Amino acid sequence: MKLLTYADRAVALVNTDDHGTGQDYLQCGDDVCRLLPDGWRVSHTVAEAGLPELREARPRLRRVFELAATGRVERATDALNKLLCDFPVSASISDHTTGWHLHLSDEPQGPARSYVTGAAFGLAYTIAERGPERLGLCDALPCRAVFVDTTTNSSRRYCSDRCATRANVAAYRARKRGDC
């Protein structure tokens, strides 16, 4: 089990609310199905039922990123610990396709809860193993997407290559105009 990949769930969920454009990409059961990992077979009805729980957890996860990215580590970990209390982790062991390995599971509570449980655990594991500075907010305004910095030297500033390019082009144009 690659525990750091569970943090990608938090990134994906938080970024369904695009602060840069005001778009919300978590509106219906189809959106939930697109969010869930490949291989999760969930009916549209079950996905739709999980929508409120995902939407409730999303700003709480964003808050963890915001606090960590602005150096308020104790507050970030407090917020994350509250999420971990509300979405406790349980594990199961499995031997399907790749040999024995662990899964985080909370299946009796449904896929939405299981998804958020994994997301919160992934952030906790990331902070514990790599440090809170690995949780970031995109520096390209107006984008405020979140990301987990997996670079070797912890230097990531943008959520995507697109935002990095846009910011670099804007800085270049500003220099050419003499704004800097």
Side-chain angles (χ1 to χ4, degrees):
M1 172 165 84
K2 296 179 181 174
L3 297 174
L4 288 173
T5 62
Y6 278 91
D8 294 339
R9 292 185 187 181
V11 170
L13 178 55
V14 170
N15 288 340
T16 60
D17 184 13
D18 187 341
H19 275 56
T21 65
Q23 290 277 46
D24 185 346
Y25 299 103
L26 192 58
Q27 297 286 327
C28 64
D30 289 338
D31 295 338
V32 173
C33 288
R34 278 190 290 279
L35 180 67
L36 297 177
D38 291 339
W40 286 27
R41 308 254 188 280
V42 177
S43 73
H44 185 37
T45 305
V46 170
E48 189 83 36
L51 189 59
E53 191 160 34
L54 291 168
R55 290 177 65 101
E56 183 272 328
R58 183 173 58 184
R60 295 177 67 190
L61 288 165
R62 173 174 278 286
R63 186 80 177 133
V64 173
F65 278 94
E66 290 171 344
L67 292 167
T70 56
R72 296 176 285 176
V73 177
E74 284 187 31
R75 292 184 61 198
T77 54
D78 286 346
L80 185 52
N81 283 332
K82 287 177 186 166
L83 269 164
L84 289 169
C85 284
D86 292 343
F87 296 90
V89 175
S90 59
S92 64
I93 191 165
S94 175
D95 181 29
H96 63 86
T97 69
T98 59
W100 292 106
H101 59 279
L102 288 172
H103 285 279
L104 299 184
S105 63
D106 203 7
E107 289 306 317
Q109 301 297 322
R113 177 160 287 270
S114 183
Y115 187 93
V116 176
T117 296
F121 179 80
L123 292 183
Y125 187 79
T126 299
I127 289 172
E129 289 298 309
R130 302 265 177 108
E133 64 278 357
R134 294 299 183 140
L135 305 184
L137 293 173
C138 187
D139 278 353
L141 296 175
C143 181
R144 297 312 290 160
V146 301
F147 61 87
V148 174
D149 183 355
T150 57
T151 61
T152 305
N153 60 358
S154 192
S155 62
R156 187 169 173 187
R157 296 177 41 215
Y158 303 103
C159 68
S160 66
D161 289 341
R162 182 175 150 249
C163 278
T165 300
R166 193 172 31 139
N168 289 331
V169 168
Y172 171 78
R173 289 179 178 160
R175 284 191 306 274
K176 289 298 243 181
R177 285 190 310 265
D179 292 349
C180 292

